[in-house]
Amino acid sequence: MAQTLTAPKVKVDRKWQLWIDGKFVPGASERTLINPATGQPLTKVAEASKKQVEEAIKAARKAFDHGPWPRMTALERAGYLNKIADAIDANAEELAELETLNGGKPLREAKYDIADTAYCFRYYAGLINKPTGQTVDVPAPSVTTIVREPIGVCGQIIPWNYPLLMAAWKLAPALAAGNTCVLKPSEYTPLTAVRLAEIMAEVELPNGVVNIVLGDGPTVGQPLAESTLVDKIAFTGSVKTGKIIAAAALTNLKKVTLELGGKSPMVVFSDFDVDVAVDYALFAIYCNSGQVCSAGSRMIVEESIYDSFVKKMAERAKKIRVGPGLEEETEMGPLVNEVQMKRVMEYIEIGQKEGAKLITGGDKPKGDKYGAGYYVNPTIFADVKSDMRIVQEEIFGPVVVVQKFKTQEEAVELANDSAYGLAGAVFTNDITRAHTVVKQLRAGITWVNAYHNTYTECPWGGYKQSGWGRELGTFGLEAYTEVKQININLDPQAVGWFEA
C-alpha cells in the first residue's frame, strides 16, 4: 500500500545551487536527497568540485582582504544581521517545513529551531555594539589598549541534525566579528543553507562575505581544513572526523573549534519524583530521535528506585507517537538517512550480544504509513555494564542505557566514566547534593532538575573528547577574534640603549 503523508506546502522541485562570491552557480555534479520519512527521492542538489571550493575560499579571502565587511562599523554589521533575522522570521513556516522534509524531525521541533536561528543572529547583532577591549595602566608616556579583531577567512562545517541552527551558530558570531566565511552544510541536509544564501542575497550582503558550497567531506571539507588561505576552521560532528580536520589544520596552524558529541549522563537520586524524572528522561533521549550531541543517553538511577524508573520509562516510551515529521500528531520522527538507521540497529544488536537487557523497542515500527522511511522505535536497555559498547560509544539515535548506583560517589564515578564530556544532569531535591555532584561532573553543559534547556547567551562545548573551544555567548564571539595589544608612545625620545 502506498504511503499517505500530509502534503508539503513548500516547493522542493527547483534549483538548489552553490553560492560563491554573491552568485548562485551550478555544481560540478548532483546529489539526490532522500526524504527520511518515506525513503523516496526528495530533490536534487548541486555539489561542488574541489576547484569550486577553491574559488569560494578565494572569494572569501578577497572579501576579507579588500572588501568592505571587516571595515564596517559594528553598527553597520549589526544592521545586516538583524535584516537576516527578520527575513528568517518572515519565512519561518517555509524554513521549518524544509527542515522536516530534509532531516525528518517533527515540524514542532523544526519551528523551535527556526525561531532559535533568528534569535542567534539578533543576539550577535546586539552583542557587537557593546563596550569591548581593555585599557592597561602602563608607565608613561605609553598608552596601551587591548582590542579584538576578526581572524580572517573561516571555514565552517556543520552537521545534519540541526542544519539551519548550526549554520547560525557558526555564521552569526563569525560575521559579527567581521570575518568572511565558507560554509559547508551536511551533504544530507543542505536545503535550508541554500535558502539562507538566498536570504543573504536579498539583504544584499556584500559579495564573498559568505559562500556556501555543497558536497561531501573529502571534496569540500578537507580542502577547507587544509587551505592556507583559511585562517580558522570550525566543525561539528564525529570525533573521528574532528581529528582528521584538526590534523589537516596544521598546514598553516589555523585556529580550530571542534564540537564532537557526547555520551551524556542523567543522574537520578531516590529523593526526586520518579514520574517527573522519567518525563525528563524521555525528553533527554528521544528529542530529535536521539540525534542530539548532548542527548541524555545514559540514565544513572539510584538502586532503590531503579526498577520503578525502568518500568515507568518503558511504559511511556511505548506510547511515543512515531511517524512522519509533517504529521501533526507525530512526537518522534525518522532518523536522517538509511546509513544512520543501520548504524543504530547495529548498536541495538551489539547491546543484545553484550548481554544487556532489551526492555522495549529495538525494532522498526510496523504499518503502512512508515513505508520505506528510516524509523526506529524508542529503545531502552537495562542491566548494562560500564564496559559495554552501548554504554561507552555514541549511538546518536533513540537508544538509552539505564545503570544503577548505590552511593553518591558511585553515581559520580559512573557519570564520568566516558571519553566524552559534553553534558550531564543531576536530579535531586537535596540542594547541597545537587551543587556537589554537578560540580563533579566532567562536562561543559550541566543541569540540575532539568535537561536540554540551552541558551544562545551561554557557552556550548565540552570536556575531553567532546571537543575544543566553545560556541555561543560571548565565548562564541571571542572564538572568531584575534587579540591585539596596541602600545602608543605619547612622547617619542631617543632610547639611548646603545652608546654609539
Side-chain angles (χ1 to χ4, degrees):
M1 184 180 292
Q3 186 176 6
T4 302
L5 293 175
T6 298
K9 300 174 185 176
V10 67
K11 182 180 179 181
V12 295
D13 184 19
R14 41 152 292 189
K15 288 184 178 180
W16 300 95
Q17 297 184 311
L18 320 177
W19 195 43
I20 299 175
D21 201 16
K23 301 179 183 65
F24 287 97
V25 297
S29 60
E30 281 189 332
R31 174 185 292 266
T32 298
L33 300 181
I34 304 298
N35 183 339
T38 65
Q40 302 301 316
L42 179 64
T43 190
K44 292 183 178 181
V45 297
E47 292 204 316
S49 64
K50 288 187 177 181
K51 181 180 178 182
Q52 288 177 309
V53 178
E54 292 171 1
E55 290 172 358
I57 293 171
K58 289 178 181 177
R61 184 81 263 167
K62 180 181 177 182
F64 183 80
D65 292 340
H66 305 291
W69 188 255
R71 294 154 189 86
M72 287 183 183
T73 65
L75 190 61
E76 288 174 318
R77 290 198 302 276
Y80 280 97
L81 297 184
N82 279 319
K83 288 178 183 178
I84 292 169
D86 290 344
I88 290 170
D89 281 340
N91 294 276
E93 186 175 343
E94 175 198 0
L95 290 167
E97 192 166 292
L98 278 178
E99 291 286 63
T100 292
L101 286 169
N102 198 182
K105 66 177 59 183
L107 192 58
R108 66 173 183 173
E109 291 186 32
K111 288 179 179 178
Y112 279 110
D113 294 351
I114 304 310
D116 286 347
T117 298
Y119 181 73
C120 188
F121 279 101
R122 284 200 184 91
Y123 171 77
Y124 284 106
L127 185 62
I128 54 175
N129 59 18
K130 303 299 184 289
T132 186
Q134 300 177 20
T135 300
V136 183
D137 188 2
V138 298
S142 291
V143 173
T144 297
T145 58
I146 301 169
V147 299
R148 288 188 174 272
E149 297 182 339
I151 293 175
V153 175
C154 301
Q156 301 172 312
I157 303 172
I158 60 175
W160 42 256
N161 57 338
Y162 290 89
L164 191 61
L165 184 57
M166 291 295 100
W169 279 23
K170 288 179 170 51
L171 287 172
L175 295 176
N179 298 284
T180 59
C181 304
V182 181
L183 179 76
K184 177 206 164 320
S186 167
E187 59 268 38
Y188 300 113
T189 55
L191 298 188
T192 48
V194 178
R195 276 296 288 123
L196 181 60
E198 292 170 352
I199 286 171
M200 291 180 171
E202 290 167 9
V203 303
E204 299 181 338
L205 192 73
N207 292 348
V209 172
V210 173
N211 305 270
I212 296 179
V213 283
L214 316 183
D216 61 20
T219 305
V220 179
Q222 193 74 10
L224 274 178
E226 292 176 345
S227 175
T228 57
L229 298 179
V230 175
D231 303 298
K232 175 184 171 72
I233 192 82
F235 168 78
T236 298
S238 70
V239 171
K240 179 181 178 181
T241 304
K243 290 179 178 179
I244 294 171
I245 287 172
L250 294 175
T251 51
N252 62 333
L253 291 178
K254 57 173 61 69
K255 304 289 188 278
V256 179
T257 299
L258 303 172
E259 200 270 89
L260 305 178
K263 190 74 175 177
S264 300
M266 177 175 149
V267 180
V268 183
F269 287 91
S270 60
D271 66 342
F272 194 84
D273 186 294
V274 174
D275 292 312
V276 176
V278 165
D279 191 71
Y280 273 102
L282 296 169
F283 182 54
I285 183 58
Y286 300 129
C287 179
N288 200 21
S289 303
Q291 299 170 124
V292 185
C293 52
S294 58
S297 52
R298 291 188 293 139
M299 297 293 129
I300 300 173
V301 183
E302 192 163 359
E303 186 176 45
S304 61
I305 61 168
Y306 179 85
D307 291 337
S308 174
F309 182 95
V310 171
K311 180 182 178 181
K312 290 184 175 185
M313 188 173 181
E315 288 173 349
R316 289 199 56 187
K318 292 175 184 177
K319 297 177 182 177
I320 292 174
R321 295 191 293 270
V322 180
L326 289 182
E327 298 294 332
E328 188 175 344
E329 67 273 13
T330 293
E331 295 177 320
M332 193 181 92
L335 298 173
V336 70
N337 56 38
E338 186 176 16
V339 172
Q340 190 63 21
M341 181 188 70
K342 287 182 177 179
R343 170 187 168 87
V344 171
M345 294 304 294
E346 285 172 3
Y347 268 108
I348 291 171
E349 184 178 349
I350 288 168
Q352 292 174 294
K353 288 181 178 178
E354 289 179 319
K357 185 178 180 180
L358 180 63
I359 302 298
T360 189
D363 57 355
K364 298 184 62 177
K366 297 176 177 61
D368 292 337
K369 79 171 184 175
Y370 300 107
Y374 308 129
Y375 300 92
V376 175
N377 278 318
T379 301
I380 300 172
F381 279 105
D383 299 342
V384 298
K385 297 178 181 179
S386 292
D387 60 353
M388 290 180 174
R389 288 182 62 188
I390 59 170
V391 177
Q392 292 296 328
E393 298 178 15
E394 186 177 38
I395 299 173
F396 223 65
V399 180
V400 67
V401 298
V402 191
Q403 298 170 274
K404 69 175 66 171
F405 70 88
K406 292 182 180 180
T407 67
Q408 179 175 309
E409 291 73 22
E410 184 185 8
V412 172
E413 184 177 348
L414 288 172
N416 289 332
D417 184 15
S418 172
Y420 297 101
L422 183 58
V426 181
F427 284 75
T428 177
N429 290 324
D430 185 330
I431 191 64
T432 301
R433 173 189 284 158
H435 273 281
T436 301
V437 175
V438 82
K439 289 184 71 174
Q440 290 176 330
L441 294 183
R442 298 282 295 161
I445 306 156
T446 60
W447 299 276
V448 173
N449 300 342
Y451 211 99
H452 275 324
N453 51 304
T454 54
Y455 307 98
T456 303
E457 296 87 347
C458 299
W460 182 275
Y463 294 16
K464 299 185 278 187
Q465 291 195 49
S466 285
W468 291 348
R470 295 293 185 270
E471 295 185 307
L472 298 183
T474 58
F475 300 87
L477 182 63
E478 290 171 357
Y480 283 98
T481 62
E482 293 277 21
V483 179
K484 175 186 284 186
Q485 61 167 293
I486 302 174
N487 301 288
I488 301 174
N489 185 351
L490 299 179
D491 186 20
Q493 302 289 335
V495 177
W497 188 262
F498 299 103
E499 294 182 2

